[in-house]
Amino acid sequence: MESADPLSSDPLLRLRQAIAAESPVIPTSSDDASITPDTHLGLAVATHLHFSTPFPHRFPLDTPTRFFSADRAVDLRSIFFAWLKKDVAIPEYVASAQQLNDELSGSGGAGGKVQNLVFVERLDLITWLEGASEDSEYIKPLASEASAAAAAGSAQVASGATGGVPTVASGPAGANVGKTIDPRLAEIYNGERRLGDRNTVLRGIKPTEFSHVRKTAEMFLGRSRARPGHASINPSNPALVSLPKKGGRRPDPIILLSPSASSLLRMSNIKSFLESGVYVPADSALAGSSNSANILHITRLLPSIDPTKAIRFILVDTPEQFKPDYWARVVAVFTTGQTWQFKSYKWQQAPDLFRNVLGVYVGWRGEDVPSTVKGWGRGVMSTAVEKWSAHQAAQSRWRDREVVESIWGQIEEAMRSRGWSKDSGPRVK
């Protein structure tokens, strides 16, 4: 029997619940949830999406969801398609969406169109669906949540707790008896224009959040502060010091890889190397990931930062889709010594980059470290692995584990020195 709970009838929440429970979500061409769905039906001909957790239910694939892109609600088909393609590169995702749109509009297709989501929207959506984030700037709250918030606000106004006109004292001077104005009259008074002083004119009366402006301005202000002769803020004057507001959730740290074809560690083999402690060539069939993946996730327990819960790391090989505040989350950059890798970085000069981020160079044991890497100084960790042999057993590569542990040790030390903790990310410079 289907529940009347609005939380269970929301397609976004149902998809998130199914992913958390590892319950299959199956495209089907029937709206009858009692019929066993065909597991081989594709999105091009399917009209509904079948959920079995927490109870059987089917949603039309053209159902608008609470996820908004460019002020337009994204339908369930586009959301589910983005989840299915969460590990593919951007060009492959765009090409697959175009192919699906051709099939939808072709003979036998279900009709409709899949909406392309940009990288930042896809990342935000996937992070929310996986349960790594409890909120999303692209997802609007449920109607029940908005109504509850509005009702709570009205109740506070009616009770005189907030808004409206405060209670007016009556009776003899010094008496503690108060008279409360009628709530309907208080609402009318609350709609009147209020005169304010200098502070209310400058700051406004609404609690507006401008933290995103601060993060964007930090890129430009940070450069001017570093110039010789630039006047610094006097810390003795507390009115001039702006302290960052602590977030409610620690952000995921980011590790940047080199996109160079000569790099020993690329998107295809970095996950197995950092998680399993065994090196395999990037183009080997033993590599655990696809070369076309543009984002990977790994977890690692760093006891000096969080002794109870493993930290999730994001691995990418290009910063082209970064928001300005993402650079503060970069904890390591793997490099081959080729400076063209940094052309699209926030810090395009290697000395500037490795003053802010740990550098990691991994080469073959017995071969010389490139002179460019040596010239970058102590900001770059240089290490080496044994050369690969196809006839070599995995058990004989025990030294790889030593290399991996030394890399994680340096990353942990760098994160701790920058202020990463159990509940918060790095310190804002």
Side-chain angles (χ1 to χ4, degrees):
M1 182 181 214
E2 295 193 7
S3 169
D5 183 4
L7 299 180
S8 298
S9 60
D10 179 70
L12 271 181
L13 282 177
R14 290 298 296 269
L15 180 56
R16 190 184 191 196
Q17 292 170 354
I19 293 170
E22 297 183 357
S23 174
V25 180
I26 305 172
T28 179
S29 58
S30 171
D31 60 354
D32 189 351
S34 62
I35 301 176
T36 302
D38 185 357
T39 58
H40 302 289
L41 200 64
L43 279 178
V45 294
T47 58
H48 290 73
L49 208 56
H50 177 85
F51 295 88
S52 55
T53 302
F55 56 86
H57 186 76
R58 296 186 181 183
F59 291 96
L61 281 167
D62 57 359
T63 302
T65 67
R66 295 182 291 114
F67 191 94
F68 276 70
S69 173
D71 297 326
R72 187 177 66 176
V74 180
D75 62 9
L76 182 57
R77 179 184 278 108
S78 301
I79 296 292
F80 187 59
F81 177 77
W83 169 254
L84 294 178
K85 300 296 181 181
K86 62 185 176 69
D87 293 324
V88 305
I90 295 175
E92 184 178 346
Y93 167 73
V94 174
S96 299
Q98 182 59 49
Q99 180 182 354
L100 179 56
N101 284 333
D102 294 340
E103 295 173 357
L104 285 168
S105 59
S107 176
K113 184 179 181 181
V114 167
Q115 181 177 347
N116 278 331
L117 301 180
V118 299
F119 177 82
V120 175
E121 294 172 343
R122 283 176 62 204
L123 180 60
D124 195 89
L125 172 65
I126 292 167
T127 302
W128 185 85
L129 288 175
E130 288 178 336
S133 172
E134 293 303 322
D135 52 10
S136 167
E137 62 180 292
Y138 302 102
I139 298 179
K140 293 192 173 182
L142 288 165
S144 57
E145 296 175 353
S147 299
S154 298
Q156 289 182 331
V157 170
S159 64
T162 59
V165 178
T167 58
V168 179
S170 63
N176 292 326
V177 180
K179 178 182 178 183
T180 304
I181 296 179
D182 184 278
R184 292 172 294 179
L185 187 58
E187 283 287 349
I188 296 174
Y189 286 163
N190 195 40
E192 294 181 348
R193 179 182 177 185
R194 300 180 183 179
L195 297 178
D197 57 11
R198 172 178 173 275
N199 287 329
T200 57
V201 170
L202 290 177
R203 300 180 183 275
I205 60 173
K206 296 181 179 179
T208 307
E209 175 62 59
F210 288 107
S211 61
H212 65 285
V213 178
R214 176 181 57 78
K215 294 174 182 177
T216 304
E218 184 64 28
M219 293 179 58
F220 304 97
L221 295 178
R223 296 173 186 172
S224 60
R225 292 192 193 107
R227 294 174 185 169
H230 184 78
S232 60
I233 295 177
N234 182 8
S236 64
N237 187 350
L240 299 178
V241 181
S242 176
L243 296 177
K245 187 176 81 171
K246 285 208 169 189
R249 185 179 69 90
R250 180 186 60 208
D252 294 336
I254 299 172
I255 296 177
L256 268 171
L257 304 181
S258 170
S260 173
S262 62
S263 176
L264 299 188
L265 295 170
R266 303 205 295 272
M267 294 296 285
S268 58
N269 64 344
I270 185 65
K271 187 170 184 177
S272 61
F273 181 69
L274 292 180
E275 284 189 336
S276 305
V278 177
Y279 174 81
V280 295
D283 54 358
S284 169
L286 300 175
S289 304
S290 169
N291 260 323
S292 61
N294 66 322
I295 183 170
L296 296 171
H297 297 94
I298 62 173
T299 56
R300 172 79 180 191
L301 183 67
L302 303 181
S304 66
I305 297 176
D306 191 342
T308 59
K309 184 178 180 181
I311 300 175
R312 190 175 83 151
F313 290 80
I314 297 175
L315 280 70
V316 293
D317 60 0
T318 174
E320 62 181 9
Q321 300 293 339
F322 272 24
K323 291 182 179 179
D325 58 307
Y326 283 13
W327 284 106
R329 295 163 50 188
V330 177
V331 296
V333 173
F334 282 74
T335 180
T336 60
Q338 297 166 299
T339 56
W340 59 261
Q341 175 186 347
F342 316 134
K343 293 300 182 184
S344 58
Y345 284 17
K346 175 183 178 181
W347 304 282
Q348 297 182 2
Q349 300 300 320
D352 295 334
L353 172 64
F354 298 123
R355 272 197 297 267
N356 293 275
V357 182
L358 171 69
V360 181
Y361 170 81
V362 179
W364 293 124
R365 191 179 300 274
E367 293 187 359
D368 293 335
V369 177
S371 58
T372 52
V373 176
K374 291 181 179 178
W376 293 337
R378 293 181 299 174
V380 181
M381 170 194 182
S382 298
T383 186
V385 295
E386 300 285 349
K387 288 190 176 181
W388 171 261
S389 173
H391 306 291
Q392 190 177 26
Q395 293 81 355
S396 63
R397 299 196 61 88
W398 54 271
R399 287 187 174 180
D400 293 348
R401 171 61 68 179
E402 293 182 352
V403 174
V404 171
E405 291 302 321
S406 66
I407 292 174
W408 278 119
Q410 291 289 331
I411 292 176
E412 182 174 4
E413 174 63 27
M415 291 176 64
R416 189 170 63 250
S417 67
R418 294 178 59 197
W420 288 83
S421 66
K422 180 178 180 180
D423 302 312
S424 64
R427 292 186 296 267
V428 178
K429 294 183 180 180

